[in-house]
Amino acid sequence: MTGFPQLRWRRLRRTEALRALVRENRVEIGNLIYPLFIVEGSGIKQAIASMPGIFHFSIDQLPREVEEIAELGIPGVLLFGIPEEKDEVASSAYHPQGVIQQAIGAIKQSVPQLLVVTDVCLCEYTSHGHCGIIVNGDVDNDQTLPLLARTALSHAEAGADIVAPSDMMDGRVKAIRGALDEEGLQHIPILSYAAKYASAFYGPFREAAESTPQFGDRRSYQMDPPNLREALREVEQDIAEGADIIMVKPALAYLDVIRQVRDRFNYPLAAYNVSGEYAMVKAAVQQGWLDEKAVVLEILTAIKRAGADIIITYHAKEVARWLRQAP
Ligand code: PBG
């Protein structure tokens, strides 16, 4: 029996029960991480125009939000801070009473079991908006490393469960691992933004996080989008330096990178479904051009099919609601 008419693919597509039985990939709430933008001040829950449904929260508004997130079954949040004070050396990134350090405390107090992942980067905290410090007009790799390590350490000391460096300086995973271990924080995992591309899909995020570079761009440190082999070397290096979880970012235009990393490295793999990917879907849905639930579930399933274990997505709350409803 080698083909039609004995062989018919449509037999297993006939009913939803049959399709579900042979389904190869599923989106699960337990693998999703929801990003949160946190600002200083109080009483603030302000909408971000280019990311409908996403808000800036002040710390006093966090308990209510994280209780809802936990109730929906989402296991973790990824924190981004927007400080009032920015300077050349990103002082507020590693201040013990910085916006993120305080936010971690507030979240842990209201929902202790919710995983708190912190984005470790300087761009939201520098006056110039670059991810490292500037020396002679350029982003200086080696002088940035101690500041990143200090930032990660202050997050862990404040109670973060996982630190996630996104700056793309060379050697930062090693620097952070060293700093954590020296202070008795050997148990804190590093989720490394290992293959992070210089992508135009970060546009809405930069508006939300006020982190647009004041001069130049990020192409001297983030990866060039056409490169795949280089991504594999980046991942290999971050693993060698001590990364526990690796990330590919963005997700949708980089599904091939996710697949290759999955095939080559036996490490937990995260994919970041970034702000621009979210904004495109929301814009089309607002126009009535796409069926939101169907499209979002299709996108997230595709990211899983490409090989991601963990998906960081602004859609997490909606998805959790959809998946909880009886099919
Ligand atoms: C910080 C950082 C960025 C994102 C996550 N961490 C912006 C950037 O690198 O410019 C983007 C996230 C998103 O677009 O959703 N460096």
Side-chain angles (χ1 to χ4, degrees):
M1 191 169 88
T2 53
F4 183 81
Q6 294 92 343
L7 206 152
R8 288 178 186 269
W9 302 116
R10 291 182 55 190
R11 277 185 206 119
L12 294 178
R13 295 179 197 149
R14 201 166 49 83
T15 67
E16 176 50 25
L18 283 167
R19 291 190 294 272
L21 190 69
V22 297
R23 191 157 290 148
E24 299 176 30
N25 292 286
R26 282 187 170 82
V27 175
E28 281 168 47
I29 304 172
N31 298 123
L32 303 182
I33 292 180
Y34 186 64
L36 286 176
F37 295 99
I38 302 153
V39 294
E40 295 190 40
S42 64
I44 301 167
K45 181 181 175 184
Q46 199 188 348
I48 297 165
S50 55
M51 301 175 73
I54 304 295
F55 300 84
H56 283 140
F57 291 99
S58 54
I59 291 165
D60 61 315
Q61 305 294 305
L62 282 177
R64 206 216 250 154
E65 179 66 14
V66 294
E67 276 161 28
E68 189 190 343
I69 290 166
E71 250 161 53
L72 285 167
I74 297 167
V77 289
L78 172 62
L79 306 188
F80 295 97
I82 300 124
E84 247 153 41
E85 302 280 331
K86 303 186 188 225
D87 63 23
E88 292 277 302
V89 291
S91 309
S92 50
Y94 38 86
H95 193 286
Q97 293 303 316
V99 60
I100 286 299
Q101 290 78 359
Q102 289 189 52
I104 296 166
I107 294 171
K108 282 290 166 191
Q109 209 175 359
S110 50
V111 190
Q113 79 279 11
L114 187 70
L115 287 172
V116 174
V117 187
T118 57
D119 185 85
V120 175
C121 194
L122 305 186
C123 64
E124 298 111 270
Y125 305 88
T126 49
S127 41
H128 44 72
H130 276 291
C131 302
I133 59 171
I134 305 293
V135 179
N136 297 328
D138 193 19
V139 177
D140 191 283
N141 193 89
D142 299 13
Q143 292 193 45
T144 299
L145 296 180
L147 302 185
L148 291 167
R150 204 166 152 190
T151 303
L153 187 59
S154 80
H155 292 173
E157 281 170 344
D161 297 290
I162 300 177
V163 291
S166 70
D167 52 281
M168 289 302 278
M169 297 302 121
D170 290 318
R172 89 290 178 127
V173 174
K174 186 178 180 187
I176 291 170
R177 187 72 271 158
L180 293 174
D181 289 358
E182 218 166 274
E183 296 300 322
L185 292 159
Q186 298 90 339
H187 59 286
I188 300 295
I190 298 175
L191 190 177
S192 170
Y193 286 66
K196 175 173 175 178
Y197 287 89
S199 170
F201 285 102
Y202 307 150
F205 173 96
R206 291 189 190 161
E207 183 201 320
E210 297 171 8
S211 70
T212 307
Q214 300 303 301
F215 64 90
D217 54 43
R218 302 207 203 292
R219 285 183 289 180
S220 79
Y221 41 105
Q222 298 181 347
M223 283 187 53
D224 199 21
N227 294 359
L228 170 61
R229 294 188 300 261
E230 185 188 351
L232 302 176
R233 296 201 301 272
E234 275 276 7
V235 168
E236 191 174 22
Q237 179 66 29
D238 279 11
I239 289 172
E241 289 184 21
D244 301 279
I245 306 173
I246 47 189
M247 192 202 291
V248 172
K249 174 187 172 187
L252 275 191
Y254 299 85
L255 294 176
D256 57 326
V257 182
I258 295 173
R259 168 48 54 197
Q260 295 268 343
V261 170
R262 169 74 296 145
D263 287 346
R264 280 179 168 72
F265 301 96
N266 291 319
Y267 271 73
L269 174 59
Y272 200 142
N273 175 218
V274 301
S275 59
E277 299 172 345
Y278 177 84
M280 286 194 302
V281 170
K282 286 287 172 182
V285 167
Q286 283 181 352
Q287 295 286 328
W289 294 339
L290 288 175
D291 172 347
E292 182 168 29
K293 178 179 169 182
V295 159
V296 170
L297 290 175
E298 185 173 334
I299 286 173
L300 298 188
T301 306
I303 296 171
K304 273 238 142 154
R305 193 191 60 232
D309 304 301
I310 301 162
I311 305 175
I312 301 169
T313 179
Y314 303 97
H315 295 291
K317 283 171 69 177
E318 303 159 338
V319 170
R321 287 195 195 97
W322 294 329
L323 294 182
R324 288 178 139 214
Q325 290 160 7

